Structures are given as structure tokens and as C-alpha cells.
Amino acid sequence: ITHSFQEMERILEMCNIRITSLVSKNNSITVKKVIQGIIEGKDSPEELACFVHGRIINSKKEKVRLTLGGFITEHHRFNLNLVWQQYKLYEEQLIKVEKEMSQICHKYYKDEIKLLQTIPGIKKQSAMQLIAETGNNMSAFENSGKITGWAGLRPKNDESAGKFKSTSITKGNKYLRRILVQCAWAASRTKGSYYKSKFEQLCIRKSRKKALIAIARKLLTVTWNILKEKQEYNPILEPVLSPEKIKNKMNYHTKEIQKLKQLGYSIS
């Protein structure tokens, strides 16, 4: 489906139509309506502007007119129609595949799907994909560290002479990793969840991408435990800082405040 929209975008650019530059995604409703309008025979900017979302028209009226003022030939319209039919076929097949997945999971993995959906950031679609990649029998993995390594979410142990040269993640199951990263984005935006606060903490000293990988690794660890123990996700069991770690953090911040005072900053 993504390839189909990329191809349709390329054809539109050949026609000097750049409506995709005014929207957030090249498969938005506005783009779909404009493509359908062109296929039906409409080619003037005024006709095509009727398919553009009102918010875009109100804020970028002149830009909309310029981006829709292209030169469309029958050859372009024919090719665009072929790719559009390909996209509709993929869409129909995707709906059938999702329906079949849902029936299989309901028949064989009904309990596991329900358990996985108790984890923040994981819904039915993600739960089905996780089961498809890992299965429901966690005895295949000795511990949670084994499955995170198999998924390619564990940092490399690239150390030499006491120095870490690289901490990038290892290679692994790219499909499972992709699902978990998407779930991690959702979990990091779930209000009141442990993953949201943890993501914000990690972003202070890491990049957002590294913090996201860390959240994905935690989600996979929780997934392994839930499928192994056959128990629902319990937020109370999320890791809590020990008194020793709290003391170390307080000492660290105290030292940082002292450094700032030595540099002449006043701390209220």
C-alpha cells in the first residue's frame, strides 16, 4: 500500500501537482479525493480544490491553487488509474487477512490476546502480530533477556580496554522489533502509565530514539512474563527505585547543584 501511494505521488509530480507537500501524509483523505477526481476527468485547479480539506484551503488558499495547477494528460490519468486499482486490491486483501488473523487468534489464542491487551500501548492488532512472531509458548526462550536479544532490542557488548565503543542494538527479528517500537510510541503517550514517565526520564540523558528502544525492550520483557505466567499486566509490579538508588540520585543532583553554585548561578 505504501508503495502504491509513492507511485501515485510520483505520477502527480510528473503532472506538476504537488498537493502532497501541503498534507502530513501522502495517503491522507485529501490526496485520495484529489486522485479520484483526476481519474474521473477533473483537471482544473478550481475543480480539484473542492476535494481539499477546508482547513488547508483557509490557511493556504494561494498555495493550494498553485499546487493543483498542473498539466494532466490521458497517459497520466491512465497510469494513475492503474495504480489506484492496485491500491484498492491491496486494501481489500489486507481487510481479508486481518479478518482471518482475528478468527485464528480467537480460536487458538483467545486468552493470550486478552492478556496482552492489558499492557499499555498494545491493542488487538498489535497483540495478534506479537503472537504471530513469538508464539504463545515462552519455554522456547530461557528468560526475557533471550527474547529481547532474539528481537534485536539488546545493546551490543562492544567493550575494549574498559571503554564502550558502541551501544547500538543487535540484529534480530525486524518485524517483531517494528511492532514493539510502534507499541512503545503508544505506551510513552499513555497518561499515567509507567512507560510515559520512564520515557521522559530517559529523554533527559538519551536521544528520543534510544529512549524509545529502551521502552520497546521493557514492553517485550513484560510480554514474555505475561505469556509465561498467564497473568494480566499489573502496574503495581513495575520496578520501583530502591532506597539505595534514590540515595544515589539525590547525591548526584546535590553535586550538580554545587557545581552550578561554584559557577556563580544562584539556586533558589
Side-chain angles (χ1 to χ4, degrees):
I1 291 178
T2 302
H3 174 74
S4 297
F5 276 102
Q6 290 174 345
E7 182 64 21
M8 285 189 281
E9 184 179 12
R10 188 185 69 83
I11 297 172
L12 289 176
E13 289 177 356
M14 290 172 62
C15 302
N16 199 34
I17 293 178
R18 300 299 299 271
I19 187 61
T20 53
S21 64
L22 301 180
V23 294
S24 58
K25 298 183 294 184
N26 63 355
N27 61 345
S28 64
I29 296 177
T30 291
V31 175
K32 290 179 182 179
K33 288 183 177 180
V34 169
I35 291 173
Q36 285 180 297
I38 293 173
I39 292 172
E40 291 170 0
K42 300 178 175 62
D43 51 14
S44 67
E46 291 75 18
E47 289 177 316
L48 296 177
C50 298
F51 303 114
V52 180
H53 194 278
R55 176 178 53 79
I56 301 175
I57 292 287
N58 295 333
S59 60
K60 304 172 183 177
K61 187 174 182 179
E62 184 60 24
K63 287 185 178 180
V64 170
R65 188 185 65 80
L66 292 173
T67 55
L68 294 176
F71 181 72
I72 305 169
T73 65
E74 288 302 318
H75 170 70
H76 294 138
R77 191 173 280 113
F78 176 78
N79 286 341
L80 200 60
N81 188 28
L82 287 180
V83 183
W84 178 259
Q85 291 177 8
Q86 185 183 56
Y87 154 68
K88 296 302 291 184
L89 175 63
Y90 286 155
E91 191 177 46
E92 290 175 5
Q93 290 180 341
L94 182 61
I95 293 172
K96 290 180 181 179
V97 168
E98 289 179 349
K99 185 178 179 180
E100 184 68 17
M101 283 178 63
S102 181
Q103 291 176 351
I104 292 172
C105 288
H106 182 76
K107 185 176 180 180
Y108 297 103
Y109 309 107
K110 184 177 180 180
D111 296 334
E112 287 82 353
I113 294 296
K114 286 183 178 180
L115 290 172
L116 289 177
Q117 289 185 77
T118 61
I119 306 173
I122 297 181
K123 299 301 180 185
K124 185 178 179 180
Q125 183 70 20
S126 304
M128 290 193 298
Q129 293 181 43
L130 287 173
I131 291 293
E133 294 298 330
T134 65
N136 67 331
N137 185 6
M138 291 296 105
S139 62
F141 305 97
E142 185 179 347
N143 52 48
S144 59
K146 298 292 184 181
I147 193 172
T148 54
W150 180 70
L153 289 171
R154 192 165 54 191
K156 291 180 181 177
N157 187 17
D158 192 0
E159 183 182 358
S160 178
K163 294 182 179 179
F164 289 96
K165 294 184 177 180
S166 174
T167 56
S168 60
I169 57 177
T170 57
K171 293 182 179 180
N173 188 323
K174 61 181 180 180
Y175 304 107
L176 177 58
R177 185 167 61 243
R178 185 186 304 159
I179 298 164
L180 288 165
V181 169
Q182 292 174 352
C183 293
W185 270 121
S188 65
R189 285 162 172 74
T190 303
K191 293 183 179 180
S193 72
Y194 161 78
Y195 302 103
K196 178 177 174 62
S197 59
K198 188 63 180 178
F199 178 76
E200 293 171 351
Q201 290 173 15
L202 291 171
C203 285
I204 296 174
R205 53 189 175 87
K206 295 179 180 290
S207 66
R208 294 178 66 86
K209 288 184 179 179
K210 288 185 177 180
L212 191 65
I213 291 296
I215 298 300
R217 184 163 57 249
K218 289 181 180 296
L219 283 177
L220 184 54
T221 301
V222 172
T223 298
W224 181 86
N225 282 279
I226 283 178
L227 292 178
K228 183 176 183 297
E229 302 297 334
K230 304 299 181 184
Q231 294 179 355
E232 291 187 2
Y233 168 79
N234 187 353
I236 300 176
L237 298 179
E238 289 294 353
V240 180
L241 290 178
S242 63
E244 184 181 356
K245 286 189 175 182
I246 293 175
K247 183 179 178 181
N248 291 337
K249 283 183 175 291
M250 291 177 65
N251 290 337
Y252 168 76
H253 290 298
T254 302
K255 290 179 181 178
E256 293 298 313
I257 291 173
Q258 289 175 353
K259 289 179 182 179
L260 290 173
K261 286 181 178 180
Q262 290 174 0
L263 292 172
Y265 292 96
S266 60
I267 307 298
S268 55

